[in-house]
């Protein structure tokens, strides 16, 4: 059994954030340790309030985990501010394990969730420490400064060349009959993963599930493209199992059982 660390926001509705990461890692048969970066007042209909974890508490949590647990991989999600990012970078830079970053920079409606200072710091200092970065299409376009008409392959290869690490661009925002995610590796390899789009209103936490599952498969020692392939199968199955769940009044969660 591997130990996987998730550093992310907390979701009171438990469909995303560290709660969903914990469920994903557990469903794959491994042990999750969790460090929340922010507390949210959140349910299936949206987020009403966010409070960053104080800097000294964030550092204390990371110290407590890393002093005791033999962490085999790290998943990073919501980073609320630049100082939080600095603390995370200081902790992660001392580890020699796979790191997967879900760059939560834009809300579903397109609202910026990170300040310019935090974005700049994360790109400069955290991106180089990552094994994989998993933006959705709007986030990928935002990172390269392009408009929505930019070719996705151009964007993917530009991100790899600019930051020197692998990017998985998630295709959920595309208006296509199939779900198409594309992995752009640092060595120039490109892998495409397609599956039928499942009709459902329960998709909350899909990005969290993806990034924590990839981190878990990497902890097992799987090559990156195989880790993504296994993750896609897991997500398709979790979407199918959760499509008829009646949990909350809005965008419900995925389900593993």
């Amino acid at each position: 059994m591997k130990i996987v660390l998730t550093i992310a926001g907390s979701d009171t509705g438990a469909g995303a954030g560290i709660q969903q990461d914990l469920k994903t890692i557990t469903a794959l048969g491994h042990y999750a340790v969790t460090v929340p970066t922010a507390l949210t007042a959140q349910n299936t209909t949206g987020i009403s309030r966010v409070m960053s974890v104080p800097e000294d508490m964030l550092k204390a949590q990371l110290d407590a985990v890393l002093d005791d647990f033999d962490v085999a991989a790290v998943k990073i999600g919501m980073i609320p501010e630049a100082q939080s990012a600095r603390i995370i970078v200081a902790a992660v830079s001392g580890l020699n394990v796979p790191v997967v970053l879900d760059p939560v920079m834009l809300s579903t409606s397109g609202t910026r969730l990170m300040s310019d200072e935090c974005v700049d710091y994360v790109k400069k200092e955290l991106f180089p420490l990552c094994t994989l970065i998993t933006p959705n299409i709007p986030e990928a376009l935002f990172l390269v400064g392009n408009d929505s008409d930019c070719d996705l392959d151009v964007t993917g290869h530009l991100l790899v060349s600019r930051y020197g690490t692998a990017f998985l661009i998630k295709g959920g925002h595309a208006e296509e009959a199939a779900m198409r995610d594309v992995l752009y590796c640092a060595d120039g390899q490109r892998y495409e993963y397609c599956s039928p789009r499942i009709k459902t209103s329960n998709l909350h936490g899909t990005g969290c599930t993806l990034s924590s599952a990839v981190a878990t498969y990497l902890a097992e020692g799987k090559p990156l493209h195989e880790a993504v392939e296994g993750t896609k199968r897991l997500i398709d199955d979790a979407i199918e199992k959760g499509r008829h769940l009646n949990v909350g009044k809005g965008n419900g969660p995925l389900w593993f059982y």
Side-chain angles (χ1 to χ4, degrees):
M1 183 175 66
K2 300 297 184 180
I3 297 173
V4 180
L5 166 61
T6 168
I7 307 169
S10 174
D11 175 6
T12 48
I18 57 170
Q19 288 87 346
Q20 183 64 11
D21 294 340
L22 189 155
K23 288 186 285 184
T24 302
I25 295 161
T26 303
L28 290 172
H30 297 282
Y31 191 86
V33 286
T34 61
V35 172
T37 59
L39 305 180
T40 68
Q42 182 177 173
N43 56 32
T44 61
T45 64
I47 301 173
S48 59
R49 187 174 176 185
V50 178
M51 182 180 74
S52 298
V53 170
E55 297 162 15
D56 58 344
M57 187 59 184
L58 178 60
K59 184 179 185 302
Q61 291 180 97
L62 287 164
D63 288 346
V65 167
L66 297 177
D67 284 348
D68 189 34
F69 296 97
D70 185 13
V71 171
V74 179
K75 173 265 168 82
I76 303 172
M78 179 184 181
I79 303 176
E81 53 194 30
Q83 187 53 32
S84 301
R86 293 186 181 95
I87 293 167
I88 292 167
V89 165
V92 172
S93 61
L95 302 175
N96 185 27
V97 300
V99 177
V100 179
L101 172 64
D102 182 6
V104 186
M105 296 179 172
L106 302 171
S107 71
T108 302
S109 62
T111 302
R112 287 280 299 278
L113 298 177
M114 274 190 190
S115 67
D116 288 339
E117 179 188 7
C118 189
V119 171
D120 290 344
Y121 183 83
V122 165
K123 290 193 295 185
K124 181 179 179 182
E125 302 294 340
L126 183 55
F127 277 19
L129 302 177
C130 294
T131 308
L132 177 68
I133 301 170
T134 64
N136 57 35
I137 292 173
E139 289 164 342
L141 295 170
F142 170 74
L143 285 170
V144 297
N146 288 338
D147 60 36
S148 59
D149 294 327
C150 180
D151 180 83
L152 196 58
D153 272 342
V154 172
T155 299
H157 290 300
L158 182 57
L159 286 170
V160 171
S161 64
R162 183 175 293 178
Y163 298 109
T165 191
F167 280 79
L168 177 68
I169 300 183
K170 300 174 291 190
H173 286 74
E175 295 182 1
E176 299 179 359
M179 292 288 290
R180 184 172 70 96
D181 299 345
V182 185
L183 174 63
Y184 301 89
C185 298
D187 63 3
Q189 292 291 314
R190 176 188 182 278
Y191 299 88
E192 188 170 310
Y193 308 87
C194 289
S195 57
R197 188 180 293 270
I198 299 169
K199 188 175 181 180
T200 178
S201 60
N202 293 335
L203 293 170
H204 185 49
T206 304
C208 303
T209 305
L210 183 148
S211 50
S212 55
V214 172
T216 304
Y217 282 126
L218 290 174
E220 293 179 347
K222 286 184 170 57
L224 180 57
H225 69 282
E226 291 183 13
V228 175
E229 184 178 13
T231 293
K232 283 289 292 180
R233 289 195 298 268
L234 176 77
I235 288 178
D236 288 345
D237 185 57
I239 292 174
E240 180 62 38
K241 288 177 177 174
R243 63 188 299 221
H244 297 306
L245 281 181
N246 185 21
V247 176
K249 300 174 183 177
N251 182 17
L254 282 61
W255 196 243
F256 297 114
Y257 305 102

